[in-house]
Amino acid sequence: MDLTPLLAQPHLTVVTRHADDELTRIQDVIEHKVLVEGRGDLEAVLGQLLAGTTMTSKPKTLDLVGHSAPGSSLLKLGDWVIDASRVAVTAFFRELNDNNVLPRLGIYAVRLLGCHTAETPQGRSTICALSNILGVEVFGTRHLIYSAHYDARGFRDDCNHALVCSSDLRHDIELAIEPATGIPYPRIFDIDALPASPLVTTDPAWPRRVAGSAAAKDILRLIRRSHGAQMPGLLAAPSCEIALPSVKPDWYHVAQVLLDGEFVRVYPDGDRCPGVVFPVDDPQALRSLVAALPTVTPPVALIR
């Protein structure tokens, strides 16, 4: 199948192949689209389009169309749930960014077009994380989305009011953990006040990296150290855990990276107490610093 005509469209529309009646109606109404069964098909489609692209590809959105998963409202593209808390999902989008795929195809935004994909914490976190990884706006929905929202060109321009962008969601997330709306944390971020422990061998629940003194200083400079808030209701799993060196040789303090570098979480009073969340000034810089840190080998955990 020749996919190159898709490059001339204002929207690169990718729709779940195996469909119920509503998705079938969406497939029928859109003239230019590609049907996929999951992540592998999407990767193949993007590869084929790259092979046929030119420097004059028309600016377009990448529209991923499917149902949202019950409970989480995360978009399901075929059998693939787009959940940025899963390493395999973020790795796929990082590879797109590393290979400059979106700019080469003229894609300036990604839209997750399913019902209420921006209505849950998991959905909003995924939208913001994908935006951070890809360096473009990512949109979700706050409404029910069905075939009436589409025409032959794809998602209708006059239905854009149903969408919300990652920039607005990122702002909302930050406001949600400001001390004025959370439980204010009265102390400034002080690494020496955090519990310290040696590293011991165990199976980790998430990736762990070890920072040296210089890297630790660079990381701490990115944290808004006086804007902490206790958030017992924030259940976001960390993307990784950083071991920061203590003044005691071979002992470390632990900090968790949340929402793809938007925040860090620490436990000054031990992990039986609510964690304290601090916003990060430059998430991309934090991600770059963390990516350069060595992973713990063999896998180890911090005794708390």
Side-chain angles (χ1 to χ4, degrees):
M1 177 182 178
D2 182 15
L3 299 181
T4 53
L6 295 173
L7 295 172
Q9 306 305 315
H11 311 297
L12 173 53
T13 304
V14 180
V15 188
T16 294
R17 179 186 302 276
H18 295 297
D20 57 12
D21 290 345
E22 189 58 39
L23 274 175
T24 298
R25 283 190 286 269
I26 292 173
Q27 292 176 4
D28 290 343
V29 75
I30 302 173
E31 182 177 358
H32 297 285
K33 78 275 183 177
V34 60
L35 306 182
V36 301
E37 296 183 4
R39 187 204 63 79
D41 284 354
L42 176 60
E43 184 175 9
V45 165
L46 295 176
Q48 186 174 339
L49 288 172
L50 284 173
T53 190
T54 69
M55 296 300 293
T56 57
S57 291
K58 183 173 182 177
K60 60 180 68 65
T61 64
L62 172 59
D63 291 355
L64 305 179
V65 182
H67 286 307
S68 54
S72 67
S73 290
L74 295 165
L75 184 71
K76 294 178 62 180
L77 190 65
D79 60 5
W80 187 42
V81 178
I82 301 178
D83 180 0
S85 70
R86 298 181 179 179
V87 174
V89 173
T90 55
F92 172 79
F93 287 101
R94 288 191 194 283
E95 185 175 359
L96 296 186
N97 185 61
D98 291 344
N99 289 285
N100 213 29
V101 171
L102 268 56
R104 291 163 64 188
L105 294 177
I107 295 169
Y108 63 86
V110 176
R111 304 195 293 187
L112 306 182
L113 299 179
C115 296
H116 300 295
T117 57
E119 280 296 278
T120 63
Q122 301 99 312
R124 292 190 291 271
S125 296
T126 287
I127 289 167
C128 293
L130 296 188
S131 175
N132 291 337
I133 292 169
L134 297 170
V136 300
E137 285 285 6
V138 176
F139 292 79
T141 68
R142 283 181 165 162
H143 298 275
L144 292 170
I145 301 298
Y146 49 97
S147 56
H149 290 85
Y150 296 86
D151 59 22
R153 287 159 44 95
F155 193 77
R156 290 167 40 193
D157 291 341
D158 61 353
C159 293
N160 284 344
H161 63 274
L163 305 177
V164 60
C165 68
S166 48
S167 293
D168 290 339
L169 291 175
R170 192 177 293 111
H171 178 69
D172 291 345
I173 290 173
E174 183 169 333
L175 288 178
I177 72 159
E178 287 292 330
T181 56
I183 304 172
Y185 186 68
R187 293 175 290 178
I188 197 168
F189 186 105
D190 180 4
I191 187 172
D192 293 325
L194 298 178
S197 62
L199 301 176
V200 296
T201 302
T202 189
D203 292 328
W206 42 74
R208 294 185 175 96
R209 296 178 179 268
V210 179
S213 297
K217 290 178 181 178
D218 291 338
I219 290 169
L220 293 175
R221 289 191 190 102
L222 299 174
I223 299 172
R224 279 188 240 164
R225 301 171 69 182
S226 61
H227 289 75
Q230 290 181 320
M231 297 295 294
L234 183 65
L235 302 179
S239 55
C240 73
E241 190 171 77
I242 308 171
L244 302 165
S246 169
V247 293
K248 185 175 180 178
D250 299 322
W251 282 51
Y252 295 87
H253 309 283
V254 61
Q256 297 177 342
V257 179
L258 300 182
L259 302 181
D260 211 42
E262 294 286 339
F263 307 99
V264 297
R265 179 168 57 200
V266 294
Y267 292 85
D269 301 309
D271 58 5
R272 293 186 179 181
C273 297
V276 180
V277 180
F278 291 85
V280 172
D281 281 324
D282 190 339
Q284 184 172 358
L286 178 62
R287 294 197 306 272
S288 297
L289 287 170
V290 171
L293 299 177
T295 54
V296 176
T297 306
V300 302
L302 288 156
I303 302 174
R304 295 179 188 163

